Amino acid sequence: MSLLGPADIRQLAGRLDVRPTKQLGQNFVVDANTVRRIARLAGVGAGDLVTEIGPGLGSLTLALLETGAHVVAVEIDPKLAAELPATIATRAPEAAERFSVVLSDALLVQAQQLEVGGRTPTAVVANLPYNVAVPVLLTLLERVSTLASGLVMVQAEVADRLAARPGDKTYGVPSVKAAWYADVRRAGAVPRQVFWPVPNVESGLVQFTARPHPETSATREEVFACVDAAFAQRRKTLRAALAGWAGSADAAEAALRQAGIDPKTRGERLTVQEFSALAAARRKG
């Protein structure tokens, strides 16, 4: 399969009059070895239905199709979305029937829009736009219940946050919310030089494997509200930080004690299971 190189990317962008924008978080991968590495680490292959967010000019798309997987791409830019089928038909004609594109904002796309042959995706593999990487990933995990695994490229700092564990310096809201859906881990770094334009930040790979939500009588919305409140004032003890969420500091302490959590603890120490237990305790009153 003929993948895209630096000259191909620039030629395509020039013909389409496409200029990568910071607003859309566009940094196109121009290195074939990098996209093949991502496809390999993702572990996808024949029979898998993969969703790719922000395919751009098709660098990673071609590498994913090379594995034998079916790919449904979500692209917000009408010009890029219109060109992708032609790029696939030219460079991988044998894979054209395994590719489709959805013109949509990834934050608005619904699971049924990603259906192919009555199936929804089992994996997401993407170079996520840096400015919306966390909300896009969490939205997909919420809406597409069939996602079993994924590998996404994000800003290195964001990768650290998503994969952080309780007690880590970078542990926070993204860490806990991602852990609600899946086991998340770092899967390597990506050098700046493989992008066009070259970003001024480092990039990292994040891999996840879906698992059941924590057992709790609280809803996801209730658990996430507790998480947001705990980290809004992360230097405070949970008794103080959760006062507004619980109604008062005393109510927060009562819920914490009922969940078996020391009120003097800070949010950065709690697992997603403990946040779930805390939300359930507050619900009971």
Side-chain angles (χ1 to χ4, degrees):
M1 189 174 289
S2 177
L3 301 192
L4 296 170
D8 302 313
I9 293 288
R10 286 175 172 79
Q11 187 275 329
L12 258 176
R15 180 166 61 78
L16 296 173
D17 193 27
V18 168
R19 297 176 179 83
T21 69
K22 286 186 177 181
Q23 182 182 2
L24 295 179
Q26 292 172 321
N27 293 93
F28 301 132
V29 181
V30 298
D31 180 64
N33 289 330
T34 297
V35 291
R36 281 194 169 118
R37 172 191 168 209
I38 292 171
R40 184 181 70 254
L41 287 172
V44 297
D48 290 322
L49 176 56
V50 180
T51 187
E52 182 190 2
I53 307 301
L57 292 166
S59 299
L60 178 56
T61 313
L62 287 164
L64 291 170
L65 290 169
E66 192 176 53
T67 70
H70 284 66
V71 177
V72 54
V74 179
E75 177 56 60
I76 194 173
D77 187 316
K79 196 180 293 185
L80 294 176
E83 184 66 19
L84 276 165
T87 300
I88 304 305
T90 300
R91 292 184 168 267
E94 72 285 0
E97 64 180 15
R98 292 189 279 110
F99 174 75
S100 58
V101 60
V102 176
L103 177 61
S104 177
D105 182 334
L107 289 170
L108 302 177
V109 74
Q110 299 296 321
Q112 58 266 32
Q113 293 176 265
L114 305 178
E115 283 187 7
V116 176
R119 294 193 301 152
T120 48
T122 54
V124 56
V125 185
N127 170 22
L128 291 179
Y130 284 176
N131 53 345
V132 291
V134 171
V136 164
L137 180 58
L138 294 177
T139 297
L140 279 176
L141 288 169
E142 175 194 346
R143 294 181 182 170
V144 187
S145 61
T146 50
L147 286 178
S149 65
L151 183 74
V152 295
M153 181 158 50
V154 296
Q155 187 175 335
E157 182 181 343
V158 173
D160 289 339
R161 289 176 184 168
L162 285 167
R165 300 290 185 264
D168 290 349
K169 185 178 179 180
T170 53
Y171 188 71
V173 171
S175 324
V176 185
K177 291 184 177 180
W180 170 268
Y181 301 101
D183 290 317
V184 185
R185 57 199 174 278
R186 281 294 300 262
V190 180
R192 303 183 191 194
Q193 291 71 27
V194 305
F195 296 96
W196 174 70
V198 176
N200 56 10
V201 295
E202 298 298 329
S203 301
L205 296 173
V206 173
Q207 194 160 28
F208 74 83
T209 304
R211 56 172 172 72
H213 305 325
E215 290 188 15
T216 177
S217 60
T219 65
R220 177 186 59 82
E221 290 81 5
E222 288 170 336
V223 175
F224 282 13
C226 179
V227 173
D228 289 335
F231 286 100
Q233 304 178 76
R234 64 182 300 153
R235 292 190 177 185
K236 291 187 176 182
T237 65
L238 285 171
R239 185 185 190 278
L242 296 177
W245 167 79
S248 69
D250 286 345
E253 179 169 348
L256 285 158
R257 292 195 182 283
Q258 187 177 335
I261 300 166
D262 184 344
K264 295 180 181 178
T265 303
R266 289 180 170 80
E268 63 205 38
R269 296 289 173 182
L270 266 57
T271 65
V272 67
Q273 289 81 9
E274 288 172 314
F275 274 113
S276 300
L278 180 53
R282 174 58 186 147
R283 187 180 228 219
K284 290 178 183 177

